[in-house]
Amino acid sequence: MRRKIALLGGTFNPIHHGHLRLALDLVESVGFEQLRLVPCHLPQHRQQPTVSSDRRAQMVAQAIAGCDVLQLDRCELERGSATYSIDTLTQLRRELGDDASLTMVMGIDAYLGLPRWHRWRELLTQAHLLVVARPGYSFKPDAELAEYDRVHRAEVGVLAEKPAGSVVHLSARLLDISATEVRELTAQGRSTQYLIPDAVRHYISEHGLYSADAHSS
Ligand code: ATP
C-alpha cells in the first residue's frame, strides 16, 4: 500500500489548538501515516515573525510531545535561507521516494494567497494540496486561482491513488483560534489557557514572548 504522509507548514507563532486538532483530525480521517509540522524560517509572503524560528520550533516540539503521529520537521530551519514551500516539498519528495503520497495541508486563508507563492504552479508536481475551511474565511478565489482549482480539484480518495497532483477540499472541525489572537491576548496580559497547550503557555511566559515590551528573541 502507498504511504500517505502529510505536512502542515506555518509560522507557528505560536502553535495553537487550531493547528493541533486539525492535524490530528486529518491523520485520523484521511489515514495519514504521519503529519509533519514544518515551521518556516523566513516567510516570504508575510511580515517576519518577532520570535525566532528556533523558538517557534521549540514550541511546536513541546506541543506535540507524546503524540507520535505528529512530527516536528526542522528542514526549513536547517536550510537557513528564505522559506519556499516548493523547495521543502522537493526535499521531502527526495526523502520519501516517488511512490509515497505527499500532501501539503493548508487553511483556506493560505490557499487564497497561493498565486503569490514562489513557483506555486510547480507545487503539484511534488505533492497534493489539501485545503480546509477556517472560521472567518470563505472560498472566493480570484480568476487565476478559480481556474487552477477547477482543473486540479479531486475527491479525497485521490490521496491514496496518486503520489501528487490534485487539490482536495475537506471540511474539518472549525476552531476559531489564531496565533494573532494568542499574541494579542498575551500582550494584554490576558489568559491564553485552553487556546494553546499548557506547555506552550509556560514556554511563552518563561521566555517573556509576545508581552507588550518584548522584542525579537
Ligand atoms: P497568524 O494569526 O499569525 O496569521 P495562524 O493562526 O494563521 O497565524 P499559521 O502558522 O500562519 O497560523 O498557520 C499555518 C497553517 O495553519 C495555515 O495553512 C493556516 O491556514 C492553518 N490554520 C491556522 N489556524 C487554523 C485554524 N484555527 N483552523 C484551520 N486552519 C488553521
Side-chain angles (χ1 to χ4, degrees):
M1 217 171 53
R2 195 187 296 282
R3 296 181 72 192
K4 275 193 284 177
I5 309 290
L7 78 143
L8 174 62
T11 329
F12 300 124
N13 188 32
I15 190 161
H16 52 69
H17 281 139
H19 300 123
L20 290 160
R21 193 60 231 188
L22 169 67
L24 200 52
D25 279 343
L26 290 177
V27 163
E28 295 196 334
S29 64
V30 180
F32 292 116
E33 172 188 320
Q34 175 188 87
L35 186 147
R36 299 190 187 190
L37 296 151
V38 186
C40 63
H41 182 49
L42 302 168
Q44 290 308 293
H45 53 278
R46 58 181 293 165
Q47 220 184 349
Q48 296 305 318
T50 50
V51 169
S52 73
S53 51
D54 194 54
R55 283 213 193 286
R56 289 183 281 109
Q58 284 181 38
M59 290 190 275
V60 171
Q62 303 237 342
I64 62 176
C67 182
D68 291 346
V69 287
L70 304 185
Q71 296 279 328
L72 167 65
D73 189 327
R74 298 175 61 97
C75 66
E76 296 194 354
L77 278 64
E78 280 155 12
R79 267 208 311 276
S81 51
T83 294
Y84 295 119
S85 296
I86 184 64
D87 297 331
T88 300
L89 292 179
T90 306
Q91 186 175 335
L92 269 175
R93 170 59 66 197
R94 217 175 292 134
E95 181 191 323
L96 297 170
D98 289 343
D99 187 60
S101 171
L102 179 58
T103 301
M104 183 162 81
V105 176
M106 63 180 77
I108 203 128
D109 54 315
Y111 186 55
L112 287 170
L114 194 72
R116 293 193 294 278
W117 293 20
H118 183 57
R119 294 166 54 199
W120 68 284
R121 288 186 179 277
E122 293 169 49
L123 297 171
L124 291 182
T125 63
Q126 306 297 327
H128 299 291
L129 302 186
L130 176 52
V131 182
V132 295
R134 192 166 175 190
Y137 294 89
S138 51
F139 186 49
K140 293 203 183 105
D142 61 18
E144 191 178 27
L145 185 64
E147 175 61 7
Y148 174 87
D149 193 75
R150 191 189 63 73
V151 170
H152 298 291
R153 181 110 56 130
E155 295 302 318
V156 66
V158 77
L159 305 182
E161 288 156 14
K162 294 198 295 171
S166 296
V167 176
V168 173
H169 289 245
L170 262 196
S171 47
R173 185 198 310 269
L174 298 178
L175 286 179
D176 193 1
I177 304 174
S178 70
T180 303
E181 186 187 3
V182 171
R183 294 194 299 275
E184 285 172 359
L185 290 172
T186 309
Q188 292 161 15
R190 293 173 57 194
S191 174
T192 54
Q193 191 170 20
Y194 310 134
L195 295 175
I196 57 177
D198 286 344
V200 175
R201 213 156 46 84
H202 296 143
Y203 186 97
I204 290 171
S205 105
E206 189 184 332
H207 296 279
L209 309 182
Y210 312 122
S211 64
D213 51 16
H215 294 293
S216 294
S217 43

